[in-house]
Amino acid sequence: MDARQLLKEKKFWFASVLIAWAAGLQGHMMWLQKQESFQQKFGNLEDNDDNTTSD
């Protein structure tokens, strides 16, 4: 298949956008999971700082 013809195909662009969107969503979900894991391990650092300064 010719590369120029492939670039003109709407299916190719739709599949490319769908794959990029799915990869971005997966990366975002992994980032959220990492943030949640960090918060469960260390708690909310801002709240801890406020509690120690008010005592």
Side-chain angles (χ1 to χ4, degrees), residues 32-50:
L32 286 176
Q33 187 177 20
K34 186 185 288 186
Q35 296 296 317
E36 185 177 303
S37 175
F38 180 85
Q39 193 171 23
Q40 286 177 355
K41 188 173 184 179
F42 296 107
N44 194 348
L45 296 178
E46 292 175 358
D47 287 346
N48 290 339
D49 290 341
D50 292 342

